[in-house]
Amino acid sequence: MSSAETPVAAVLRALAGAGPTPVVLIDGPSGAGKSTLADQLVAAWPGTRPPTLVRLDDIYPGWQGLDAAVRQVTRCVLEPRQAGRAAAWQRYDWDRGEPAEWHPVDPASPLIVEGCGALAAAHAALSDIRVWLTADDTVRKARAIARDGEVFRTHWDQWQLEWEHYRARENPERWATLRLGGEGAMPDSAAPFQRESPPPG
């Protein structure tokens, strides 16, 4: 990516050679700008068939749920989709503390999966474009708390430990086809993804 190219422009450029129904994965530490990049990508998506957007934030079953969400995306979304079968993901209700409804994923549509855990090793062969997005640690924490409020502040260290275990085991940067920086390209004025009970991604 050139210094003048934004993260969304870099991904759109990569899409040019990815076929009509690519799978795009966006991973990186909490607060790096993954949700913002995914929203911008959906808004600018080329072609007539819009992508399905799956947010890992909606799947994590609690603050220690990163690995469980990765397994669900692998088994219920990416593997069946690649095989041309019906795929779906299950929302976790953070207010009730229990699994909720299932959401279908059309295997004939492009797909974006964003969130901590998207670039797990098992996903590399099931995807076309794999984005690693990062930002300065101070910027990330400020963004995450501004987005999700004080609830996240109390769980920051816990989630960081989950993240570090995942990163050490899966080496997600290794699978990236694009490595991008979130500083500057994801301004604080960009509309954040709002939710009632903030998960960590």
Side-chain angles (χ1 to χ4, degrees):
M1 185 179 75
S2 70
S3 58
E5 188 176 43
T6 64
V8 69
V11 180
L12 289 171
R13 180 163 50 83
L15 281 171
T21 59
V23 175
V24 179
L25 308 179
I26 304 174
D27 201 344
S30 187
K34 299 182 298 297
S35 295
T36 301
L37 176 57
D39 288 341
Q40 292 175 342
L41 191 55
V42 169
W45 193 267
T48 57
R49 185 183 288 271
T52 300
L53 174 58
V54 176
R55 299 186 190 273
L56 281 162
D57 273 0
D58 292 326
I59 299 176
Y60 303 126
W63 292 101
Q64 294 180 311
L66 194 156
D67 291 345
V70 168
R71 288 192 296 270
Q72 184 186 139
V73 168
T74 306
R75 298 170 184 172
C76 300
V77 178
L78 295 179
E79 288 181 344
R81 184 190 183 281
Q82 187 180 64
R85 303 193 310 267
W89 60 272
Q90 187 175 27
R91 184 177 68 87
Y92 183 78
D93 190 322
W94 284 74
D95 293 327
R96 294 178 177 273
E98 61 187 26
E101 74 283 350
W102 285 86
H103 294 259
V105 174
D106 183 356
S109 294
L111 175 65
I112 300 170
V113 179
E114 70 88 4
C116 297
L119 292 192
H123 300 168
L126 304 171
S127 55
D128 301 289
I129 297 172
R130 293 174 293 280
V131 180
W132 177 259
L133 186 68
T134 190
D136 177 80
D137 287 350
T138 302
V139 172
R140 292 194 305 102
K141 186 171 184 179
R143 284 177 179 170
I145 292 171
R147 179 191 65 197
D148 294 333
E150 292 302 310
V151 172
F152 196 3
R153 187 188 298 276
T154 63
H155 290 280
W156 177 266
D157 291 340
Q158 179 184 0
W159 182 252
Q160 278 294 108
L161 186 60
E162 281 275 293
W163 167 252
E164 288 164 8
H165 286 165
Y166 157 77
R167 192 171 180 182
R169 183 184 69 247
E170 303 287 343
N171 191 12
E173 300 101 314
R174 172 186 176 187
W175 308 110
T177 58
L178 287 172
R179 292 176 176 83
L180 307 174
E183 292 94 340
M186 304 291 163
D188 291 339
S189 59
F193 174 59
Q194 298 293 333
R195 62 182 308 117
E196 293 179 2
S197 297

